[in-house]
């Protein structure tokens, strides 16, 4: 892996593979994006670095890293979208306080806390496993008939 000097800030490029975004968009959201140009959806996105160009001695090329969306979940309700937007604003305020933005403002030290209330009403991993087990049991019962 190339070593960067403290002054180097790599340019980030988005890889064209967007399958995880498409897979996370329910049918009604896809239709809405197509039928109503300018529609906005709110999502949680995971990015993974996939390739980079580094420094070769004597080369004037700027460092660059290519990232791919490797996980994505789209808000399907106004409540979920509002919670995600609140978390985004909290993280933005945190960056202001940490000095990575020009303005100074008040904000929580734990931006993820903005999601605690909304995630408390969502199914747990155990509930999801139980749901999948019930679906599988139903399929088996229908197959036996």
């Amino acid at each position: 892996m190339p070593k960067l000097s403290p002054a180097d800030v790599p340019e980030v490029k988005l890889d064209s593979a967007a399958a995880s975004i498409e897979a996370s968009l329910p049918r009604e959201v896809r239709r809405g994006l197509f039928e109503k140009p300018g529609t906005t959806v709110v999502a949680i996105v995971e990015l993974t670095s996939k390739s980079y160009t580094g420094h070769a001695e004597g080369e004037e090329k700027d460092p660059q890293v290519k990232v791919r969306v490797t996980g994505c979940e789209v808000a399907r309700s106004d409540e979920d979208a509002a919670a995600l937007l609140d978390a985004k604003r909290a993280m933005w305020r945190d960056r202001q306080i940490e000095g990575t933005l020009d303005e100074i403002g008040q904000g929580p030290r734990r931006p993820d806390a903005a999601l605690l209330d909304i995630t408390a009403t969502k199914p747990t991993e155990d509930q999801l496993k139980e749901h999948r087990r019930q679906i599988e049991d139903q399929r088996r019962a229908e197959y036996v008939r």
Side-chain angles (χ1 to χ4, degrees):
M1 177 171 307
K3 298 290 184 198
L4 299 175
S5 75
D8 288 328
V9 179
E11 180 181 6
V12 176
K13 296 280 189 173
L14 186 60
D15 186 75
S16 61
S20 63
I21 292 175
E22 184 175 357
S24 69
L25 293 171
R27 184 173 192 253
E28 66 274 7
V29 173
R30 292 178 193 205
R31 290 186 58 85
L33 289 168
F34 181 83
E35 294 171 349
K36 300 174 193 140
T39 296
T40 300
V41 295
V42 181
I44 295 173
V45 178
E46 296 173 43
L47 302 174
T48 303
S49 61
K50 292 297 181 179
S51 64
Y52 62 87
T53 58
H55 290 308
E57 273 197 43
E59 193 172 321
E60 295 294 322
K61 192 168 189 175
D62 291 331
Q64 183 182 88
V65 63
K66 189 173 280 192
V67 296
R68 181 175 297 157
V69 175
T70 53
C72 179
E73 198 58 47
V74 175
R76 295 181 4 197
S77 70
D78 290 343
E79 180 184 55
D80 287 352
L84 293 178
L85 291 171
D86 283 346
K88 182 182 90 167
R89 284 188 291 272
M91 289 186 285
W92 182 80
R93 290 190 302 267
D94 191 51
R95 288 196 306 138
Q96 286 181 311
I97 289 170
E98 294 298 320
T100 59
L101 293 176
D102 293 332
E103 300 174 18
I104 301 298
Q106 298 297 319
R109 301 304 297 164
R110 295 255 346 240
D112 59 326
L115 292 175
L116 293 178
D117 289 340
I118 192 72
T119 57
T121 65
K122 299 296 180 190
T124 64
E125 288 294 324
D126 288 338
Q127 289 170 322
L128 176 61
K129 287 176 187 174
E130 177 61 21
H131 172 75
R132 287 179 177 159
R133 188 192 61 73
Q134 289 174 358
I135 296 294
E136 197 58 38
D137 289 349
Q138 287 175 343
R139 288 184 183 149
R140 281 192 206 110
E142 289 173 3
Y143 182 73
V144 171
R145 288 184 204 170

